[in-house]
Amino acid sequence: MSNQRTVLQVSGTDAESFLQGLITNDVKKVAHGLVYAALLTPQGKYLADFFVLKSNEGFLIDVHESLADALKMRLTMYKLRADVSIEIADLHVHRGTGATPDDGFDDPRHADLGWRAYRAIPVQDDATDWDALRVGASVPETGIELGPDSYILEMGFERLNGVDFRKGCYVGQEVTARMKHKTELRKGLALVSIEGEAEPGTPITSGGKAVGTLHSVAGPQALAYLRFDRAQSEMQAGDAKVSYPTPQ
């Protein structure tokens, strides 16, 4: 079973400084395990999110397969004369919950998301409902909640340990820092309750006004992108009732 991930190998004497100047998190944190990070446009918008891991040759980047070619191309564009090589590694991403195996790494985004391991053997079927786990933990997914118009702070990257505000410059850093120092975010990802049927992508309204968009649905919970100033305790998504904040 494919879990829709591709692993890139970034090697060369300049690999660490190269990545450090590009991505939203501090590459040096790989000394303590997996690092979650993103690559942004110069305007601060999302291009890709991924995990970074130290390897014998440099670094591994675990990215959604739909973004792998574009990420490889973008990194190659940035390398200029740096001693950096970017190739696809022949590794498979394994995931699980429970005790972390000796070759596994805790998912840095949320404890409920278990562990990840990088192995030469193909991935076996896994009965874990990963969508339900990530929705319950308010974790956005590549290509669903996360897209070209996303700003990572609106998508919860600070809470998910995906951005470092002390590491120095990276692409899109100025916009991200400005958003950090606003008094509060006006829009962003939220966990909502849902009663009834509604498809991802359905507009959310309140009193006839647009409030946001419904995204991933997992049973009675869903992730939604909301305008917080318009969000009410009860809203609609098509024929379904949406509640925010999620009742405890």
Side-chain angles (χ1 to χ4, degrees), residues 82 91 126 203:
L91 291 170
D126 182 0

Side-chain angles (χ1 to χ4, degrees), residues 39-90:
L39 182 67
L40 308 179
T41 69
Q43 295 75 34
K45 289 193 173 184
Y46 168 92
L47 280 172
D49 66 308
F50 42 79
F51 299 90
V52 182
L53 171 69
K54 191 79 177 78
S55 72
N56 291 335
E57 293 76 24
F59 299 89
L60 298 177
I61 293 180
D62 161 7
V63 63
H64 195 279
E65 64 183 8
S66 66
L67 298 180
D69 289 343
L71 178 60
K72 183 175 182 288
M73 190 180 305
R74 180 67 64 128
L75 292 175
T76 300
M77 180 188 81
Y78 276 126
K79 79 173 192 175
L80 302 175
R81 296 181 182 177
D83 178 18
V84 173
S85 172
I86 304 149
E87 305 294 339
I88 293 178
D90 189 17

Side-chain angles (χ1 to χ4, degrees), residues 3 15 65 74 89 91 106 108 110 144 155 177 192 197 201 211 219 240 243:
N3 59 6
E65 64 183 8
R74 180 67 64 128
L91 291 170
D106 294 336
H110 195 282
I144 303 176
M155 292 292 118
V192 298
E197 298 293 323
V211 179
S243 302

Side-chain angles (χ1 to χ4, degrees), residues 173-193:
Q173 181 261 343
E174 187 176 342
V175 174
T176 306
R178 246 192 342 257
M179 292 185 75
K180 161 71 173 170
H181 296 297
K182 280 183 174 181
T183 53
E184 59 184 338
L185 292 172
R186 293 181 299 166
K187 296 180 286 188
L189 193 67
L191 180 66
V192 298
S193 293

